[in-house]
Amino acid sequence: MTICAALIVAAGRGQRFGGDLPKQYARLKGERLLRRTLRAFCGHPKVQRVVVAIHPEDAAIFAEVAAGFARVSAVHGGATRQDSVRLGLEALGADAPDLVLIHDGARPMVSAGLIDAVIAELSAGPGAADGVLPALAVIDTMKRLGADGRICETLSRENLVRAQTPQGFRFRAILEAHRKFAGESLTDDAAVLERAQGQVVTVPGDETNIKVTTMEDLARLAAVLTENRTGQGFDVHRFGPGDHVMLCGLKVPHSQGLIGHSDADVALHAGTDAILGAFGAGDIGQHFPPSDPRWRGAASDRFVRHAYDLLLERGGALIHLDFTIICERPKVAPHRAAMVASVARILSIDQSRVSVKATTTEGLGFTGRQEGIAAQAVATIRF
Ligand code: MG
């Protein structure tokens, strides 16, 4: 069996990043970047060991970051990235693996698929290269500046690629190359192997595998990780005596009313369940039990507002709330704009985030027989 180790480089001080801590310890959605990076490698079935090159001053925070991960050990890095990698490789050499993946600690979005692709290319048989790196095309035109700051040359993009990590190597080959060229300041490990006349090939990189060097990079990653979710709600109320129905918080005159414990606003009930459903917060019956006398005759705007406030408390945002009201009578179309305005007012959101539609069931079923009104709602939220 091929033994594959990962060497994570996390000893840098990140001068370009600012902040109190080196960038690899910055938080992304509450989790430190290095912990997310470790999770990618520790959770990969083809990676047996993980060594992390850290700065000696970071021992305490590293212990926090690595808590709970098996097969992870730390080694003190050096003054440059190249030194840190060499020291990490020497540490691994005590029980040498066949392959090593060398990866930037501040590149937390590395996917299992990319790790697989690098390992597969290294394992491609007798003719396999000694080194593999994930590469991306260069999209922008590249210019070379002269000493006076003016452009002196336009480079051809044709044979240029951007190198990412993890870069994978046959362990012996990269260890020997690093020993031989120690003390130089080569910026990636493929360059060290190239220097030793080793052959390096590429696999397709991944645009989301961003290396965090600035606060702006961190913001880009947060945007990549932003999660949209959808919830749906459905409700029915039966017609009874009355002279109006409540729909979307709006009083709509009708020859009958809707029966319910509260004001029987079937649309807002569906809307409440849609919002609650989008973040797994139960349903309207749990939050406002029909058995509770407090909710007798209650205006249903309280229910939907409560669901929305819970969402805000959890750090979510409501992107859109879309209603479908299903009935033969009353006709919804004349009230549609007022219903949209009503929901937007109840939730203090822009009207562009609310949609109200209506349909009949062509005279079929309970809504067709005008025994009651049904409503559906779909909420789109973002965390
Ligand atoms: Mg209801």
Side-chain angles (χ1 to χ4, degrees):
M1 181 183 155
T2 304
I3 301 296
C4 180
L7 170 56
I8 312 295
V9 193
R13 309 320 285 153
Q15 278 100 345
R16 276 178 291 177
F17 187 68
D20 301 335
L21 285 167
K23 62 197 178 183
Q24 58 272 26
Y25 296 105
R27 286 185 191 273
L28 175 65
K29 300 252 164 185
E31 186 177 42
R32 296 199 192 278
L33 297 183
L34 184 56
R35 186 167 175 85
R36 187 177 274 271
T37 304
L38 287 181
R39 199 146 46 76
F41 286 92
C42 293
H44 197 285
K46 291 181 183 150
V47 176
Q48 282 85 23
R49 290 165 63 196
V50 178
V51 165
V52 187
I54 65 167
H55 193 280
E57 286 173 11
D58 296 340
I61 191 166
F62 177 74
E64 175 203 317
V65 158
F69 288 124
R71 298 174 298 163
V72 173
S73 55
V75 58
H76 288 171
T80 64
R81 185 186 189 284
Q82 194 183 332
D83 277 344
S84 294
V85 171
R86 184 176 44 80
L87 293 167
L89 292 172
E90 295 288 359
L92 278 167
D95 180 16
D98 302 300
L99 307 176
V100 61
L101 305 176
I102 304 176
H103 186 70
D104 302 321
R107 221 186 259 277
M109 300 286 281
V110 55
S111 67
L114 189 59
I115 295 171
D116 275 331
V118 171
I119 294 174
E121 190 64 37
L122 280 174
S123 314
D130 285 333
V132 175
L133 66 83
L136 290 170
V138 172
I139 294 143
D140 299 316
T141 298
M142 306 294 280
K143 306 281 185 183
R144 188 192 303 281
L145 296 181
D148 60 358
R150 294 186 191 191
I151 289 165
C152 63
E153 189 186 358
T154 298
L155 303 171
S156 167
R157 285 185 305 209
E158 218 167 287
N159 298 313
L160 292 178
V161 292
R162 292 176 285 150
Q164 297 189 315
T165 72
Q167 300 186 349
F169 303 93
R170 243 159 271 297
F171 181 77
R172 281 291 158 206
I174 193 67
L175 176 63
E176 278 165 29
H178 264 281
R179 281 175 176 168
K180 193 167 174 188
F181 296 101
E184 305 201 8
S185 48
L186 298 166
T187 52
D188 76 352
D189 303 290
V192 178
L193 189 62
E194 289 156 32
R195 200 64 186 271
Q197 310 298 317
Q199 197 187 55
V200 182
V201 299
T202 64
V203 293
D206 176 358
E207 287 287 357
T208 62
N209 181 28
I210 295 167
K211 182 178 181 182
V212 174
T213 48
T214 64
M215 284 291 183
E216 288 73 29
D217 296 333
L218 203 57
R220 274 165 67 211
L221 275 192
V224 168
L225 287 174
T226 294
E227 189 184 357
N228 281 5
R229 293 208 213 162
T230 306
Q232 65 105 28
F234 176 74
D235 197 27
V236 171
H237 281 263
R238 180 190 290 275
F239 281 128
D243 60 4
H244 72 276
V245 295
M246 294 301 292
L247 289 173
C248 292
L250 192 74
K251 188 173 176 177
V252 177
H254 189 51
S255 55
Q256 292 177 291
L258 288 174
I259 301 171
H261 185 67
S262 63
D263 67 1
D265 190 326
V266 62
L268 287 190
H269 293 182
T272 304
D273 266 355
I275 294 171
L276 292 172
F279 64 110
D283 63 26
I284 190 171
Q286 263 174 278
H287 291 273
F288 303 98
S291 55
D292 189 331
R294 273 184 300 167
W295 314 125
R296 190 187 305 280
S300 297
D301 53 1
R302 294 178 60 176
F303 304 157
V304 70
R305 182 72 222 192
H306 175 76
Y308 182 52
D309 286 342
L310 274 182
L311 172 67
L312 296 179
E313 271 171 34
R314 306 264 179 101
L318 182 63
I319 304 306
H320 196 244
L321 188 56
D322 180 27
F323 295 90
T324 303
I325 298 168
I326 305 159
C327 61
E328 303 286 335
R329 291 276 185 281
K331 286 295 170 202
V332 169
H335 306 286
R336 192 192 341 229
M339 289 178 183
V340 168
S342 168
V343 173
R345 191 178 57 245
I346 291 166
L347 299 180
S348 309
I349 59 176
D350 194 88
Q351 292 191 20
S352 65
R353 298 195 180 278
V354 181
S355 155
V356 175
K357 315 181 303 297
T359 188
T360 71
T361 50
E362 300 284 345
L364 300 172
F366 70 87
T367 56
R369 293 189 297 272
Q370 300 192 40
E371 293 167 2
I373 299 182
Q376 294 177 334
V378 173
T380 306
I381 67 168
R382 179 171 293 166
F383 277 104

